[in-house]
Amino acid sequence: MSRKLLLTHDNVPNLHTIDVYRSKGGYASVEKALKKMTPEEIVEEVKKSGLRGRGGAGFPTGMKWSFLAKPEGVPRYLVCNADESEPGTFKDRYLMERNPHLLIEGMITSSFALGANTSYIYIRGEYFYVSRILETAIAEAYAKGWLGKNILGTGYNLDLYVQVGAGAYICGEETALLESLEGKRGNPRIKPPFPAIAGLYGCPTVVNNVETIAAVVPIVNDGGDEYAKIGIGRSTGTKLISASGNINKPGVYEIEMGVPVEEFIFSDQYCGGIANGKRMKACVPGGSSVPILPDYLVCKTATGEDRLMTYESLSDGGFATGSMLGSGGFIVYDEHQCVVRNTWNFSRFYHHESCGQCSPCREGTGWMERVLHRLEKGMGNMNDIDLLVELAKKIEGNTICPLGDAAAWPVAAAIKHFRHEFEYHVLYPEKVKDSKHGHKEPIMPVKPAPVMA
Amino acid sequence: MSAHAHGTQHFDETKRANIKFSAEALTTIENLMKRYPEGKSKSALLPVLHVAQAESEGWLSAEVMDYVAELMGIQSIEVFEVASFYSMYNLRPIGKCQLEVCRTSSCWARGAEDVVDYISKKLNIKEGETTTDGMFTLKTVECLGSCGSAPMLQCGAEYHENLTEAKIDALIDRYRSEGTRKNYTDLNYTNSK
């Protein structure tokens, strides 16, 4: 059985209330941190834990914290990124809905470590009902003295607020999130300066994902070394995976880093295999922004090794034959799903969500969407396929924020691994007119023949 | 108000003069603005606009945006540039219940297109349209973070997941019999402080 650190008491009724949460040992990390540790010691434990940002980028959290500037007389802020809008990702919502106090506890402990006296949780507007759960939990925490002035008599003050967004994928990018939190359009800022130097209101700021902040609780309770014992190599601890698509048991699973992908997809402990007895065709393992993998590269790497649920193993082979763990948004597609239609679906998403600031992204995402749409409808030609590859190259790396890359990678990967399916759409326009053509005539990936050395 | 009416084309002084939010809404707005450091109350604009929308039949007219600007002590353009950026703000009238069907990949792979078709036929409206009685608007939206319970739709603050035709029938019947507007926010929302 896999160890759990975040979803330990997942099935306890009323865990969202402070009394039940306390009865399960809740808020112990705050007591330990505020009474027995210095902020520097907490940062040190987080460094030792090897915890990496759970929002998708996987940047070491302890290092991010240590970059925070500490000029005299200037407030510092901790902002929790609960914007969760990467398609395929719903773990933070699950965590906040069932266990809001774990996030609040993590916010208090982390804010203390960073020297912040005001912190914000920025949550996407669509999760309004979750924001109510958080607001209620925060009110309970204030009433019991875990928030506010002179917490536990230590002289430490912290105010914690929730802010709801209003529907914009880009606000998951940390500088766009800060703009939005300041009451503006979510246009990402040019970096540097990084938020650690000039973030919210121009003050030093750390922005961390919900799951990252929640993970600080077990790290402080049990020590960074203990956390680092779980997992493999530089992928330490546990990870929440949002599993969706054509599987038997969609949902949120907490895994120890290093679980084999095959076990994750096919065992009853996790996804329970492909729904309706169908074959797996493809998998997007880390949210819509990461490269799609064809069936033969999902459970094994190109060199034939078992693919594991770690940052390193999922990216083994680079973008040629690998992908990324990303946010842990794990989407599985069965044999009936059309990769061209899915790629168009993703492109439409990125076009819709581009903030419009950089021309390669603003124009490029729309162009890719239109080309993909005509290919999917059977109205494209062979040149369109190479045009898409060209377009993706011209967007990637040429924008202020990573949305451009996120829009380009899925298209490039889909063509790399499923070119024959794109060509099929050009060759058989009559067959693909029906949007459900994949259900009539499944097209499976074709494994390239080994090249003799 | 006709169901297909578009947003106000020109700012109307008379309409503007008659806008007044409820006392409850005004208190909420005041509380929201206190959540930020001194001089930074503009930060409250996003949540305030949700309240404003709930107070204005689900959409933000030029007059309402101007009123919000006055309440918050900022320029109208600062309100408009934000209202026009985020997808949850409606700049034209919508039905009392806006059914927002997620269309992104995970939902698509589990039948989101069928959900849209079903609602479209049932209510006899296309995407983006409102029923003639002003009750329902059908909209498709991008990922709502409910991929593990696909297909799904959102109406106001409510999530409806693992949709089937029977579930859609039931929710439409319920909304019709309730007859009330479904907003993204409720008031007295600042219960933490």
Side-chain angles (χ1 to χ4, degrees):
Chain A
M1 231 1 228
S2 199
R3 256 174 300 179
K4 289 184 177 177
L5 300 176
L6 307 181
L7 304 183
T8 327
H9 305 294
D10 198 25
N11 295 319
V12 175
N14 297 320
L15 184 64
H16 65 278
T17 62
I18 198 161
D19 292 336
V20 175
Y21 183 71
R22 282 284 286 152
S23 75
K24 297 292 165 192
Y27 287 98
S29 80
V30 175
E31 279 204 275
K32 185 173 176 184
L34 268 60
K35 288 185 173 165
K36 295 183 188 146
M37 295 173 83
T38 63
E40 294 73 26
E41 283 168 347
I42 302 170
V43 176
E44 201 46 43
E45 289 305 319
V46 173
K47 275 190 183 165
K48 274 198 256 173
S49 73
L51 174 65
R52 293 166 69 177
R54 299 297 195 225
F59 190 82
T61 306
M63 202 186 293
K64 192 172 192 177
W65 285 15
S66 66
F67 291 156
L68 186 68
K70 293 175 178 152
E72 208 50 45
V74 178
R76 280 165 250 156
Y77 294 102
L78 171 64
V79 177
C80 172
N81 184 343
D83 192 57
E84 188 164 66
S85 32
E86 177 79 4
T89 315
F90 47 99
K91 63 183 176 77
D92 296 338
R93 171 182 158 217
Y94 184 92
L95 187 76
M96 291 185 286
E97 204 176 323
R98 298 187 178 225
N99 200 353
H101 284 288
L102 181 66
L103 174 60
I104 295 164
E105 179 177 354
M107 285 298 286
I108 301 168
T109 304
S110 307
S111 297
F112 175 70
L114 297 167
N117 298 110
T118 306
S119 296
Y120 295 95
I121 298 172
Y122 180 98
I123 186 167
R124 63 180 300 183
E126 293 89 340
Y127 286 179
F128 179 77
Y129 80 97
V130 185
S131 80
R132 292 312 308 249
I133 295 171
L134 287 173
E135 294 268 1
T136 305
I138 288 173
E140 286 182 319
Y142 268 107
K144 301 268 181 181
W146 297 103
L147 283 169
K149 296 253 179 291
N150 194 19
I151 299 168
L152 301 177
T154 60
Y156 177 62
N157 306 326
L158 178 66
D159 282 315
L160 176 62
Y161 302 104
V162 180
Q163 158 133 337
V164 289
Y169 169 72
I170 192 59
C171 291
E173 196 277 340
E174 60 178 11
T175 60
L177 185 151
L178 294 174
E179 287 287 300
S180 186
L181 185 48
E182 292 181 6
K184 300 182 228 162
R185 295 166 78 95
N187 288 348
R189 298 173 181 171
I190 293 173
K191 295 190 262 189
F194 288 89
I197 309 295
L200 185 63
Y201 312 126
C203 301
T205 303
V206 166
V207 183
N208 281 143
N209 172 259
V210 171
E211 187 187 348
T212 312
I213 289 171
V216 170
V217 172
I219 289 169
V220 167
N221 282 335
D222 309 329
D225 288 332
E226 209 45 44
Y227 187 85
K229 281 182 193 163
I230 306 172
I232 297 175
R234 290 184 59 238
S235 297
T236 60
T238 64
K239 175 86 188 85
L240 298 180
I241 304 291
S242 320
S244 68
N246 308 116
I247 47 176
N248 280 315
K249 290 167 58 192
V252 175
Y253 298 98
E254 182 170 9
I255 59 155
E256 286 186 29
M257 289 278 195
V259 170
V261 173
E262 184 160 12
E263 181 185 335
F264 184 71
I265 298 176
F266 293 98
S267 87
D268 284 337
Q269 194 186 338
Y270 303 113
C271 302
I274 311 304
N276 307 313
K278 290 183 195 164
R279 288 177 291 176
M280 171 168 66
K281 175 174 180 175
C283 173
V284 172
S288 63
S289 306
V290 309
I292 190 168
L293 293 173
D295 62 344
Y296 57 88
L297 287 174
V298 176
C299 301
K300 299 274 182 199
T301 65
T303 52
E305 301 201 2
D306 282 344
R307 182 92 72 186
L308 309 176
M309 301 287 276
T310 62
Y311 291 102
E312 293 75 23
S313 181
L314 280 166
S315 58
D316 184 284
F319 281 5
T321 58
S323 183
M324 287 164 81
L325 176 64
S327 63
F330 198 91
I331 316 173
V332 178
Y333 302 95
D334 71 25
E335 58 192 293
H336 287 172
Q337 308 307 328
C338 170
V339 164
V340 180
R341 195 165 182 83
N342 187 52
T343 311
W344 167 56
N345 187 297
F346 280 150
S347 271
R348 182 177 61 183
F349 173 84
Y350 288 107
H351 180 212
H352 184 263
E353 300 300 339
S354 173
C355 81
Q357 210 178 185
C358 314
S359 337
C361 173
R362 182 186 64 240
E363 305 302 324
T365 51
W367 195 353
M368 288 202 301
E369 185 202 335
R370 290 191 296 276
V371 174
L372 278 158
H373 190 225
R374 70 175 178 248
L375 276 166
E376 158 59 12
K377 294 272 176 215
M379 292 156 75
N381 61 54
M382 290 293 178
N383 293 337
D384 283 340
I385 302 171
D386 292 322
L387 173 63
L388 284 171
V389 176
E390 270 307 296
L391 277 172
K393 272 190 204 149
K394 285 184 173 146
I395 299 172
E396 187 187 347
N398 291 323
T399 54
I400 290 175
C401 87
L403 191 142
D405 302 343
W409 294 340
V411 175
I415 295 175
K416 180 183 284 294
H417 298 302
F418 299 88
R419 184 176 270 270
H420 68 291
E421 195 168 335
F422 285 82
E423 290 174 353
Y424 178 90
H425 280 70
V426 176
L427 292 172
Y428 301 102
E430 286 305 314
K431 291 194 183 190
V432 299
K433 263 186 186 162
D434 177 2
S435 66
K436 289 196 175 152
H437 61 88
H439 291 257
K440 293 179 195 146
E441 213 171 342
I443 306 173
M444 287 297 281
V446 179
K447 193 173 178 176
V451 180
M452 294 299 162
Chain B
M1 180 188 86
S2 114
H4 298 284
H6 282 240
T8 310
Q9 298 299 312
H10 299 288
F11 182 78
D12 184 327
E13 286 291 352
T14 322
K15 276 190 195 158
R16 168 67 178 83
N18 290 325
I19 294 174
K20 179 92 177 97
F21 288 172
S22 66
E24 197 184 12
L26 291 172
T27 309
T28 301
I29 290 172
E30 218 169 275
N31 287 337
L32 281 168
M33 288 169 64
K34 284 185 202 148
R35 292 179 157 200
Y36 308 91
E38 220 187 311
K40 305 293 180 192
S41 60
K42 183 189 166 181
S43 277
L45 182 52
L46 272 72
V48 166
L49 281 177
H50 283 305
V51 174
Q53 199 162 253
E55 287 283 294
S56 321
E57 302 194 318
W59 72 290
L60 300 169
S61 63
E63 296 79 16
V64 168
M65 288 189 269
D66 192 62
Y67 178 70
V68 168
E70 185 190 302
L71 288 177
M72 294 188 70
I74 56 179
Q75 301 291 319
S76 314
I77 184 65
E78 294 177 87
V79 179
F80 177 69
E81 64 183 12
V82 163
S84 58
F85 184 85
Y86 296 92
S87 62
M88 292 172 76
Y89 301 130
N90 301 304
L91 299 186
R92 58 183 57 176
I94 57 162
K96 284 182 175 171
C97 300
Q98 179 162 249
L99 306 174
E100 298 180 286
V101 184
C102 173
R103 66 185 187 182
T104 320
S105 187
S106 299
C107 277
W108 160 76
R110 291 182 83 97
E113 289 171 353
D114 296 335
V115 169
V116 175
D117 286 347
Y118 183 76
I119 297 174
S120 178
K121 285 201 185 94
K122 185 177 169 78
L123 297 177
N124 196 25
I125 45 173
K126 292 199 203 78
E127 261 182 70
E129 290 180 355
T130 300
T131 51
T132 45
D133 60 359
M135 194 62 214
F136 294 101
T137 299
L138 175 60
K139 188 179 175 190
T140 56
V141 294
E142 300 296 354
C143 187
L144 295 176
S146 182
C147 324
S149 22
M152 66 83 63
L153 69 80
Q154 173 169 25
C155 181
E158 292 178 13
Y159 270 35
H160 299 277
E161 305 177 304
N162 296 307
L163 290 175
T164 58
E165 292 185 357
K167 274 194 185 177
I168 296 169
D169 290 344
L171 78 89
I172 286 177
D173 285 348
R174 171 160 78 80
Y175 283 152
R176 199 169 261 140
S177 69
E178 287 172 0
T180 52
R181 181 169 294 282
K182 300 291 180 271
N183 293 312
Y184 290 125
T185 185
D186 44 26
L187 302 175
N188 82 2
Y189 126 1
T190 44
N191 58 352
S192 69
K193 207 179 169 195

